[in-house]
Amino acid sequence: MTPRFAVAPLFPIQNFPWTWIYAVYVEKAYNTKMRQVIDSQQVMKNISGGTFLQNVRYATLGCVDMRPTVDVQQATDIMWSLYGDELIVDRLPAGNIICAIKCKRLNHETLKTNFKNGIQYELVSPIVPNVKCTLPHSIYMLGLGFMNDELKMHRTGTTPTVQSGFHESDPKSLG
């Protein structure tokens, strides 16, 4: 699972031309991203001879520190997986599924081998509500509203890449 909608079109990482994206209510999850952040920081600290945290401290004080540190390419190589924002859930009851929308993956042919390069996608109406959703009405309506907003503001888009790390917002949708 991912809490970032812009990443969802990547899954499953197969060369399928279509996928479905679901709005769900998660009761309990393991935040794998935080584990990746902690692990990657430790790797960078080890690479830089234990000076990584000191470099950050000196930089915040406005000082110049010429000791060796992790360069941009090394940091990119270490932290490439952070763009995914993954969550692991043990259980997702069918009643916690709010709705789904079909997603066309426009350049899916090499997704399985090149998922780090991202893909272009298009959301396809209609949003399909889960008629067996057992969540309180207020949560159900929030999920439907979220999916409607994504359909209106990000009908087409591009998933994040390893190089970008983050999904760029469309300035027109922020207005």
Side-chain angles (χ1 to χ4, degrees):
M1 303 191 94
T2 180
R4 283 181 66 200
F5 191 88
V7 176
L10 283 174
F11 298 101
I13 299 177
Q14 297 291 331
N15 298 342
F16 302 148
W18 297 92
T19 190
W20 286 87
I21 300 174
Y22 297 85
V24 300
Y25 180 80
V26 176
E27 296 172 17
K28 183 178 174 185
Y30 179 78
N31 185 348
T32 61
K33 180 171 183 157
M34 188 51 60
R35 180 78 256 159
Q36 291 166 329
V37 169
I38 291 168
D39 290 347
S40 64
Q41 294 299 307
Q42 186 60 47
V43 169
M44 287 198 300
K45 182 179 176 185
N46 293 343
I47 286 175
S48 62
T51 62
F52 179 72
L53 296 177
Q54 292 171 347
N55 288 339
V56 171
R57 183 171 50 83
Y58 287 132
T60 59
L61 296 173
C63 301
V64 176
D65 183 14
M66 300 305 288
R67 291 179 288 179
T69 188
V70 177
D71 66 27
V72 173
Q73 184 58 54
Q74 286 173 312
T76 301
D77 292 344
I78 293 164
M79 298 193 301
W80 71 267
S81 63
L82 297 185
Y83 82 100
D85 273 336
E86 295 175 335
L87 296 175
I88 296 174
V89 296
D90 289 332
R91 176 176 179 271
L92 181 65
N96 285 19
I97 299 170
I98 298 168
C99 61
I101 191 163
K102 196 170 187 178
C103 178
K104 183 176 182 180
R105 303 192 299 182
L106 304 176
N107 55 333
H108 67 281
E109 295 83 8
T110 60
L111 177 61
K112 188 171 182 177
T113 55
N114 294 316
F115 68 93
K116 296 177 191 177
N117 296 328
I119 61 164
Q120 295 175 346
Y121 66 88
E122 178 182 348
L123 302 178
V124 180
S125 295
I127 294 170
V128 181
N130 178 11
V131 295
K132 296 190 178 191
C133 181
T134 57
L135 295 169
H137 186 71
S138 60
I139 294 173
Y140 179 74
M141 293 308 293
L142 282 171
L144 283 176
F146 168 79
M147 193 68 85
N148 271 309
D149 288 347
E150 288 299 324
L151 181 59
K152 288 177 189 170
M153 295 189 300
H154 303 111
R155 180 179 290 272
T156 61
T158 303
T159 62
T161 65
V162 171
Q163 293 77 24
S164 70
F166 297 97
H167 182 66
E168 296 179 353
S169 295
D170 178 0
K172 293 178 282 191
S173 69
L174 299 176

